[in-house]
Amino acid sequence: MFTSRPTLQGTFGMAASTHWLASQSAMAVLEGGGNAFDAAVAAGFVLHVVEPHLNGPAGEVPIILAPAGGEVRVLCGQGPAPAGASAAHYSGLGLDLVPGTGPLAAAVPGAFDAWMLLLRDHGTRSLREVLQYAIGYAEQGHPPVERIRATVESVRELFETEWTSSAALYLPAAEPGALLRNEALAATWRRLLAEAEPAGDREAQIEAARRIWSSGFIAEAMVRASGQPTMDTSGERHRGTLTGDDLAAFRAGYEEPVRHDWNGWTVCKAGAWSQGPSFLQQLALLPEDFGKPGGAEYGSADYIHTVVEGCKLAMADREAWYGDADLDSVPLAELLSGPYTEERRKLVDSGSASRELRPGSPGGRTPRLPKYAERAEEAARLAAAGFDSMSTAGAGEPTVAKDGGTRGDTCHVDVVDRWGNMVSATPSGGWLQSNPVIPELGFPLGTRLQMTWLEPGLPNTLTPGRRPRTTLTPSLALRDGEAVLAFGTPGGDQQDQWSLNFFLAVALRGKVRDTWDLQGAIDAPNWHTDAFPSSFYPRGMRPGSLVIEDRTDPAVIADLRRRGHQVELADPWSEGRLSAVARDPRTGVLSAAANPRGMQGYAVGR
């Protein structure tokens, strides 16, 4: 089968990510004797430099890791809402949504501490060894991908008039042929090393770096930045709520993954503080004959319709039930149970696309949707009648308004090594368009609190100490109890749609060279729906929508339209930015593939 690139195969190590420099940096660590976890950390810090419109050091990262011979764990790098970030405080400012930009939207940064914990507990290299690649690209510069320039241009006016520290760093890089340098960020990491290395051995240095981040010069600069009145998407200037106590109190930590068995696979995801369980709910909702002889044939209208309608049900449950709350508010076991899923599956009409947001009643509980979601649904109905819409189609790269409002911006990296260690991570947040650059550090604060609601009593209500429900959702799959596949994609709300489509393609289609056809699954025509409230400001939705790549069979598109899907044809290579690595336990053969969409993802290995 023709693919845009080969599925790579080898036995030494494989890395795949959303930027070739991050992938190659990870491979350099493997070549130098490091393991998959060392390599992932190095790649993560390079992504801060080469994809600053998609992630930054003050963002967040969920990580799923499978140590060779060990148990799969989730490492949560999602920080909570600061102690002063209550729904009442924001409502008292006259807001009905958390702004999409500015310090008021900043959660406690979680990515840095998570990367450090991964390095300390599972890596083998020193802090300097994994940071050297990011420092080099920040100091010496790198050719920015076109999407960086496009993002900077989209917020040029905001940078020039309000966020002048961001203008000083990024506007020069918007000029054709210019290298993007971030000397302030390089200086931050050099000072971190200078202060951490006298602490002692490798582990002591990493612990010192964590303290410097949470209570040293970096923490002090972040708190000062949070306290600056900043223009945000509300059209007003606000100060943030982040304090030194918030930073000092946060530590990344490990959790058990949520699991679901399907057709001989066990898929592992982060908990309901992410949207990860929606992937598992979508799998559970598929009929038993799905993709099999006599069932919905792969790529057919029946196939796509079944997947999309299941997605709508899972995402409706996400809106009603997911969040960083207690088990009574987030009944995850019931949401994934057989009886509940069987009842939900009956709601799928094989001949008609639903336009309703239909959460279920797990364990007899009464679902409750945010009132703003009801308004978003009404706005979508008005849009269908010719009025202005609240929402836009999703994308694998950020959609950026002139005020800096942004959706769908994230990175991804997967690594597997010759010892069988495997890791999948989805870094995001702290984007160049999220907050003004902190001049002395070279990076901005994040905006993850925009995913919470200000309405009281919901699982995802903005609450001090609670994590905002994130869209970030790396995936790891097992066969016979062994980790065999790590994968993920950027894309906000679309992540667990594009990732599911990839996984089903891997599981249901044929193999190449006696291994899973990773590249073919990535290259296959992809799609998504926006038929549920967006997680990003201004939280719109489009009932009945189906965005699908226009290289899909025209007969399939016509059939989907006949069933009532509001089909929007996207560019032929536009849906998703997946990457993946795999390991065959029988032979030790490693595989990798990365997405051609966006012209920057790459897989390397040998």
Side-chain angles (χ1 to χ4, degrees):
M1 178 181 296
F2 175 80
T3 56
S4 63
R5 322 164 178 184
T7 294
L8 303 185
Q9 287 183 280
T11 56
F12 180 81
M14 295 280 165
S17 82
T18 48
H19 197 289
W20 63 86
L21 292 178
S23 298
Q24 186 54 51
S25 297
M27 195 65 203
V29 172
L30 295 178
E31 295 283 5
N35 65 20
F37 309 115
D38 298 312
V41 175
F45 280 91
V46 169
L47 287 170
H48 297 158
V49 179
V50 300
E51 291 193 324
H53 60 313
L54 304 175
N55 78 138
E60 43 276 323
V61 59
I63 303 168
I64 301 185
L65 60 143
E71 292 295 317
V72 177
R73 304 298 300 276
V74 170
L75 175 48
C76 176
Q78 174 59 65
S86 67
H89 171 63
Y90 286 54
S91 297
L93 296 173
L95 300 169
D96 61 353
L97 287 176
V98 178
T101 61
L104 204 56
V108 178
F112 180 87
D113 200 63
W115 288 125
M116 291 297 100
L117 195 60
L118 181 65
L119 182 66
R120 186 197 73 182
D121 293 347
H122 299 281
T124 63
R125 304 292 93 175
S126 70
L127 188 60
R128 180 176 292 274
E129 286 172 314
V130 297
L131 283 178
Q132 63 177 318
Y133 306 95
I135 292 172
Y137 288 123
E139 268 184 347
Q140 299 164 24
H142 61 93
V145 296
E146 182 55 37
R147 294 302 183 95
I148 293 179
R149 292 195 175 101
T151 302
V152 171
E153 285 297 336
S154 70
V155 289
R156 176 181 284 273
E157 182 179 349
L158 176 69
F159 281 11
E160 290 177 336
T161 59
E162 296 283 347
W163 297 7
T164 54
S165 60
S166 299
L169 175 57
Y170 287 110
L171 291 186
E175 298 301 319
L179 293 179
L180 175 54
R181 291 183 174 87
N182 191 339
E183 295 175 355
L185 179 59
T188 295
W189 298 146
R190 288 199 180 281
R191 180 176 173 184
L192 178 82
L193 290 172
E195 294 188 12
E197 286 180 330
D201 62 13
R202 191 186 80 91
E203 184 171 327
Q205 291 177 22
I206 294 169
E207 284 301 300
R210 297 176 76 192
R211 289 192 298 271
I212 293 164
W213 175 272
S214 63
S215 57
F217 78 94
I218 297 176
E220 292 167 359
M222 289 193 288
V223 170
R224 287 194 298 271
S226 177
Q228 294 296 316
T230 301
M231 179 64 70
D232 58 38
T233 51
S234 72
E236 299 180 0
R237 294 179 180 85
H238 291 111
R239 301 177 191 270
T241 61
L242 186 67
T243 68
D245 288 342
D246 295 319
L247 289 163
F250 175 74
R251 290 293 182 272
Y254 297 100
E255 301 175 0
E256 287 294 319
V258 183
R259 302 167 185 255
H260 182 72
D261 296 328
W262 182 83
N263 277 14
W265 296 81
T266 300
V267 182
C268 300
K269 302 289 284 187
W273 54 267
S274 76
Q275 70 174 353
S278 71
F279 182 111
L280 306 181
Q281 283 195 260
Q282 290 176 80
L283 269 185
L285 284 163
L286 296 175
E288 287 189 12
D289 63 352
F290 184 77
K292 299 176 182 177
E297 181 183 351
Y298 178 83
S300 67
D302 283 341
Y303 180 99
I304 296 173
H305 176 80
T306 301
V307 172
V308 171
E309 294 305 295
C311 173
K312 293 174 184 177
L313 294 173
M315 290 302 192
D317 277 346
R318 185 192 76 165
E319 288 310 305
W321 301 110
Y322 288 20
D324 185 23
D326 57 60
L327 291 178
D328 287 336
S329 299
V330 188
L332 199 52
E334 287 94 340
L335 289 170
L336 288 167
S337 69
Y340 176 80
T341 298
E342 183 61 33
E343 286 301 310
R344 296 287 279 164
R345 192 181 296 124
K346 295 174 184 177
L347 296 175
V348 175
D349 184 336
S350 63
S352 179
S354 171
R355 282 181 167 77
E356 297 180 69
L357 194 63
R358 300 179 290 178
S361 301
R365 298 170 177 82
T366 301
R368 178 183 163 193
L369 290 170
K371 291 179 181 178
Y372 203 89
E374 298 171 3
R375 285 159 43 199
E377 194 169 6
E378 175 62 24
R381 283 193 289 269
L382 291 173
F387 294 90
D388 187 34
S389 174
M390 301 173 59
S391 75
T392 60
E397 290 276 3
T399 302
V400 186
K402 288 185 177 180
D403 62 4
T406 181
R407 289 172 289 281
D409 22 24
T410 303
C411 307
H412 189 78
V413 59
D414 303 295
V415 189
V416 62
D417 64 30
R418 62 190 184 275
W419 300 289
N421 299 302
M422 185 176 286
V423 59
S424 181
T426 309
S428 186
W431 315 303
L432 69 86
Q433 66 275 19
S434 64
N435 260 296
V437 166
I438 304 170
E440 58 267 53
L441 299 181
F443 60 81
L445 295 172
T447 56
R448 193 59 56 177
L449 294 186
Q450 67 178 291
M451 296 187 167
T452 61
W453 298 107
L454 298 182
E455 182 181 344
L458 300 169
N460 194 32
T461 296
L462 177 62
T463 305
R466 273 193 195 172
R467 294 166 290 189
R469 189 198 73 212
T470 178
T471 55
L472 308 177
T473 176
S475 303
L476 198 143
L478 315 178
R479 297 280 290 183
D480 300 322
E482 291 198 56
V484 297
L485 179 64
F487 59 101
T489 179
D493 295 302
Q494 286 75 55
Q495 288 179 38
D496 277 320
Q497 299 183 63
W498 292 329
S499 289
L500 178 72
N501 297 344
F502 162 81
F503 174 74
L504 291 174
V506 169
L508 297 175
R509 300 191 341 165
K511 294 186 175 184
V512 293
R513 299 192 301 277
D514 198 36
T515 192
W516 294 295
D517 184 12
L518 303 185
Q519 194 63 54
I522 286 174
D523 288 359
N526 216 329
W527 63 85
H528 80 271
T529 178
D530 300 306
F532 48 86
S534 169
S535 296
F536 295 87
Y537 182 93
R539 312 302 294 269
M541 64 180 288
R542 301 192 304 161
S545 69
L546 178 56
V547 181
I548 191 165
E549 291 179 339
D550 67 5
R551 57 196 172 94
T552 304
D553 184 346
V556 169
I557 292 172
D559 194 339
L560 291 167
R561 283 178 167 148
R562 180 184 59 77
R563 301 179 199 220
H565 294 280
Q566 297 295 307
V567 176
E568 176 183 332
L569 295 182
D571 290 340
W573 294 90
S574 58
E575 288 285 294
R577 289 177 59 220
L578 284 142
S579 66
V581 299
R583 178 178 180 271
D584 187 337
R586 301 169 305 157
T587 62
V589 170
L590 312 177
S591 306
N595 193 53
R597 301 166 179 89
M599 301 295 287
Q600 65 192 70
Y602 232 82
V604 295
R606 69 174 179 86

